[in-house]
């Protein structure tokens, strides 16, 4: 095999993101996004979206038939307990991903369509599935198990799987690199704060706990998801408010979180409103930050010794206010921010804690596409990977 390029496809419920990455130097000859799939005036379906991706690449002389293309890597949201590492896609693997649709009804079907179309376009090319859950497969039973009837849990696959795994893997390793250490030597709390948000506790490069659960609904307050709530809220809404299961699903996944609290899910807009004295925006921010602090405290106790806390994704990389409020007054657990470093805007990985801080606080931009490309290339082309 001579090609060194990997096409990374991230087929979401209403969009397909792609990046072409050349593994010779990790440069990106092409990238793009097809949005509004299945919406009026948008792209008809995932098959049409993938054809558009192929056309866009063709237009740049980088078509799917190029001999430079070595493999295609697919982001797949749910790997269940079966897929705990990147996996070369075969008919059997595809059937296995299909079996997991009940666990991820919004996400896995889109991933499957992406894989099917890509395999039709280039049946000869190795294709690899990289699972969002895989990095969390090492979480010990004590953290992965919910305390519900064991037979019911086993029968229906009810346990903590966790998500954003490629990001947590990439960022925990990049944080170790920033500290000049081997990942095996450092304990890191990773705070992935994007529109979806999750925290993870990584001990010596191995994930030992994470905030998302059976689905991406659990844990931190997110753009439109509630994160942790008393599960009895669901029965209460059913019995007292008369909502059905789908309505409650939509309420908690799409109309809650920051959006539900104040009407906006973008932290930039919330910051602007707070500056004008908007009380609802302030409360949304306060609830968001309070939850974040609870997880920092919980994962500090889980890890025992914390070497670094890493902020990543849209909010984590950009919101000075969230980083400040999340870690304010934690000197007693070894966390001392540097307000000047924290306020400096930048693109690369950087330290934002004070030199005296026992725990290094860092901003570490995530790169899920590169992580997927490295995993894909390593598996498809037999390299050691990065
Ligand atoms: P992601 O899912 O990682 O793309 O993150 C998207 C979210 O990041 C947006 O919804 C915003 O809330 C947030 N975000 C992006 N840029 C900024 C910024 N400059 N300041 C604060 N929040 C931001």
């Amino acid at each position: 095999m001579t090609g060194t390029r990997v096409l990374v496809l991230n087929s979401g419920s209403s969009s397909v993101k792609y990046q072409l990455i050349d593994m010779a130097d990790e440069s990106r000859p092409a990238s793009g996004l097809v949005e509004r799939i299945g919406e009026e005036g948008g792209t008809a379906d995932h098959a049409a979206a993938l054809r558009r991706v192929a056309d866009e690449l063709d237009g740049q002389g980088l078509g799917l038939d190029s001999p430079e293309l070595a493999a295609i890597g697919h982001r797949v949201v749910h790997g269940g307990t079966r897929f705990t590492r990147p996996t070369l896609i075969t008919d059997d693997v595809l059937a296995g991903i299909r079996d997991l649709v009940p666990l991820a009804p919004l996400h896995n079907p889109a991933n499957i369509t992406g894989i099917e179309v890509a395999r039709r376009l280039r049946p000869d090319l190795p294709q690899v599935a990289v699972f969002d859950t895989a990095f969390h497969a090492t979480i010990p039973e004590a953290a992965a198990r919910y305390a519900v009837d064991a037979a019911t849990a086993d029968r229906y696959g009810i346990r903590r799987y966790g998500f954003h795994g490629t990001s947590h893997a990439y960022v925990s390793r990049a944080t170790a690199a920033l500290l000049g250490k081997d990942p095996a030597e450092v304990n890191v709390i990773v705070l992935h704060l994007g529109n979806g948000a999750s925290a993870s506790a990584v001990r010596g490069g191995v994930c030992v706990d994470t905030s998302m659960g059976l689905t991406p609904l659990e844990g931190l307050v997110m753009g439109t998801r509630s994160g942790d709530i008393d599960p009895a809220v669901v029965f209460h809404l059913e019995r007292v408010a008369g909502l059905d299961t789908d309505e409650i699903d939509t309420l908690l996944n799409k109309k809650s979180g920051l959006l539900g609290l104040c009407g906006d899910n973008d932290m930039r807009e919330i910051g602007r409103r707070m500056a004008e004295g908007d009380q609802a925006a302030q409360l949304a921010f306060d609830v968001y930050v309070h939850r974040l602090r609870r997880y920092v405290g919980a994962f500090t106790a889980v890890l025992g010794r914390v070497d670094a806390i890493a902020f990543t994704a849209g909010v984590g990389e950009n919101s000075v206010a969230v980083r400040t409020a999340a870690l304010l007054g934690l000197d007693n657990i070894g966390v001392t921010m540097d307000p000047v470093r924290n306020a400096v805007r930048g693109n690369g990985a950087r330290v934002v804690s004070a030199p005296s801080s026992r725990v290094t606080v860092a901003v570490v931009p995530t790169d899920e596409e590169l992580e997927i490309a490295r995993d894909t290339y390593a598996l498809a082309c037999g390299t050691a990977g990065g």
Side-chain angles (χ1 to χ4, degrees), residues 62-273:
L62 301 162
L64 282 183
D65 53 0
S66 154
E68 281 295 305
L69 192 62
I72 301 179
H74 298 266
R75 174 187 180 221
V76 178
V77 167
H78 217 306
T81 49
R82 173 170 169 191
F83 299 111
T84 59
R85 57 192 45 164
T87 306
L88 207 55
I89 297 170
T90 62
D91 291 342
D92 180 52
V93 167
L94 195 52
I97 297 170
R98 203 172 277 117
D99 289 341
L100 293 166
V101 166
L103 284 173
L106 293 177
H107 295 101
N108 273 26
N111 303 153
I112 290 165
T113 311
I115 293 170
E116 285 174 340
V117 176
R119 285 180 98 204
R120 268 204 298 281
L121 291 173
R122 276 304 297 272
D124 56 312
L125 214 57
Q127 307 216 10
V128 173
V130 179
F131 298 90
D132 245 26
T133 47
F135 183 61
H136 306 301
T138 48
I139 292 176
E141 283 298 285
R145 277 270 173 179
Y146 294 111
V148 299
D149 174 68
T152 305
D154 287 344
R155 175 150 185 213
Y156 295 104
I158 295 169
R159 60 186 284 113
R160 177 179 313 289
Y161 295 98
F163 299 88
H164 291 146
T166 47
S167 178
H168 288 283
Y170 178 89
V171 170
S172 57
R173 255 194 286 108
T175 304
L178 185 67
L179 300 184
K181 299 216 165 127
D182 192 89
E185 297 174 309
V186 295
N187 295 348
V188 188
I189 297 174
V190 179
L191 303 171
H192 176 111
L193 311 177
N195 200 28
S198 64
S200 70
V202 183
R203 175 182 289 132
V206 176
C207 186
V208 294
D209 206 351
T210 195
S211 60
M212 283 178 168
L214 174 80
T215 78
L217 183 55
E218 193 180 347
L220 300 174
V221 176
M222 311 183 207
T224 66
R225 296 187 201 127
S226 63
D228 295 337
I229 52 164
D230 180 344
V233 169
V234 175
F235 329 137
H236 187 78
L237 286 169
E238 221 164 57
R239 293 187 188 122
V240 179
L243 300 186
D244 68 25
T245 307
D246 286 340
E247 287 168 333
I248 299 171
D249 192 330
T250 301
L251 180 78
L252 296 180
N253 273 298
K254 304 239 165 86
K255 299 182 182 170
S256 295
L258 294 170
L259 181 73
L261 284 164
C262 76
D264 273 304
N265 63 338
D266 192 315
M267 199 52 90
R268 285 164 289 201
E269 186 57 22
I270 289 171
R272 204 186 53 71
R273 285 173 55 186

Side-chain angles (χ1 to χ4, degrees), residues 5-9 18-21 53 57 64 69 71-74 376:
R5 287 182 180 159
V6 174
L7 177 64
V8 176
L9 290 175
Y18 70 93
Q19 278 194 16
L20 189 65
I21 304 186
V53 170
L57 288 169
L64 282 183
L69 192 62
I72 301 179
H74 298 266
T376 299

Side-chain angles (χ1 to χ4, degrees), residues 13-53:
S13 52
S14 67
S15 70
V16 173
K17 281 189 257 179
Y18 70 93
Q19 278 194 16
L20 189 65
I21 304 186
D22 194 327
M23 299 315 290
D25 55 3
E26 298 191 339
S27 63
R28 323 228 172 168
S31 64
L33 169 68
V34 180
E35 283 182 295
R36 301 180 56 218
I37 297 170
E39 289 174 27
E40 209 173 310
T43 309
D45 54 26
H46 281 82
L50 262 286
R51 276 196 298 275
R52 253 186 69 187
V53 170

